[in-house]
Amino acid sequence: MKARVSTDWLSGCSGCHVAMVDLHEKLLGLVEEVDFVRVPVLMDEKDYPKADVGVVEGAVRSDHDRVALEKMRASVDKLIAFGSCAVYGGPSGLGWLHERDDVMAAVYDGGPTNAGGERPDADAPILEDSVVPIDEVVEVDAYLPGCPPHPYFIAAGLRAVLGVSDLQLTAMSVCADCDRKMLKNEGAELHRGEVTAEKDSLCFLSQGVVCLGSVSLNRCQAPCPHSGVACFGCAGPSVDLITEPHLDLRNLIGRRLNMLTGVSEEEVTRYFQEDAKTLYAYAVASPVIHGKPTVEIREWAGPKPAAQGGE
Ligand code: SF4
Ligand code: SF4
Ligand code: SF4
């Protein structure tokens, strides 16, 4: 008998559902093994039919999200948190940096697309005070982070949850799949992202560019550093950061930059706070992160957003 799979989309951008479609021929193989009974981007199914596996994209930000998630949980045997928003809050979780009223004011009080400052009517979902990953609301059986998750890991994760194959996912960081070499490069100064041709094989950190590959879980096979872009941690923190409360990306990256370039750890901290505004951009809404020193960043990375438009 085919397994029944149901999906839903909470406060997310739909990119995770699009990534599922990106499975191409792997999706075809999967469809032969499963019946998709509810997929918001593919079919008009408002109810929550009984299913073996539920796949949820997005964080919980509104009363609608909370009710939908509880209905989904009640309708499925196994639930997968799909994508960094569902697992950690993801980009949707950046709302955690701001007060609810400030978010509403920034979005609705004036600006070119809402010059009259109208607020949503009574039928619209009500924004909750904060934003949380889905396991703060319901029990979750499996986690597939990524923004969006990489097709290889989607297929592997779904097959494992469906019992088609054993799950063998790496617990390594992005660096494990990156070809760049971490070499000493004394004197390199901290700077933003450009990469020169002759340095294509040199690790970003050796060049004085902040790359979060060493503190990010490898659920992607390192496409960004391979394309000349430093990793910004979209699959969330590495296993050591999740399991060791005393570890923080600021001191781990600071230590590595210090070792490779000689830049002091104090300078790295200053750079993170004042110039780069480096934080757990994809996981800051997760309680896993809330004991870390970088969360101080809420004080200075999350100033009240100014209303759009205006003087
Ligand atoms: S994890 Fe990324 S792709 Fe998925 S819903 Fe969130 S923002 Fe969109
Ligand atoms: S820190 Fe970045 S550039 Fe350096 S090895 Fe790791 S992923 Fe590659
Ligand atoms: S390299 Fe980093 S930013 Fe790029 S996809 Fe992987 S985790 Fe995300």
Side-chain angles (χ1 to χ4, degrees), residues 173-258:
S173 73
V174 171
C175 293
D177 263 344
C178 177
D179 295 334
R180 291 175 178 271
K181 304 279 179 296
M182 265 192 200
L183 300 174
K184 240 182 169 2
N185 190 23
E186 200 74 34
E189 292 180 1
L190 292 179
H191 65 288
R192 298 289 179 90
E194 87 274 16
V195 183
T196 54
E198 67 269 25
K199 286 183 173 175
D200 268 359
S201 63
L202 192 57
C203 167
F204 280 99
L205 295 178
S206 302
Q207 300 180 55
V209 174
V210 172
C211 177
L212 300 185
S214 61
V215 291
S216 301
L217 184 66
N218 182 6
R219 286 290 175 271
C220 60
Q221 300 167 338
C224 302
H226 286 159
S227 307
V229 179
C231 171
F232 40 89
C234 78
S238 53
V239 171
D240 54 349
L241 275 179
I242 294 169
T243 54
E244 307 272 354
H246 67 285
L247 292 181
D248 183 43
L249 70 81
R250 188 163 65 188
N251 42 46
L252 289 180
I253 296 287
R255 231 170 283 155
R256 286 191 185 103
L257 272 167
N258 172 255

Side-chain angles (χ1 to χ4, degrees), residues 79-104:
L79 188 70
I80 302 176
F82 188 67
S84 294
C85 287
V87 176
Y88 296 116
S92 305
L94 284 169
W96 180 85
L97 292 167
H98 306 282
E99 298 296 331
R100 175 190 181 281
D101 289 348
D102 296 327
V103 172
M104 293 296 287

Side-chain angles (χ1 to χ4, degrees), residues 11-17 57-58 82-86 89-92 146-149 282:
S11 287
C13 74
S14 85
C16 285
H17 271 81
E57 163 191 326
F82 188 67
S84 294
C85 287
S92 305
C147 183
Y282 290 78

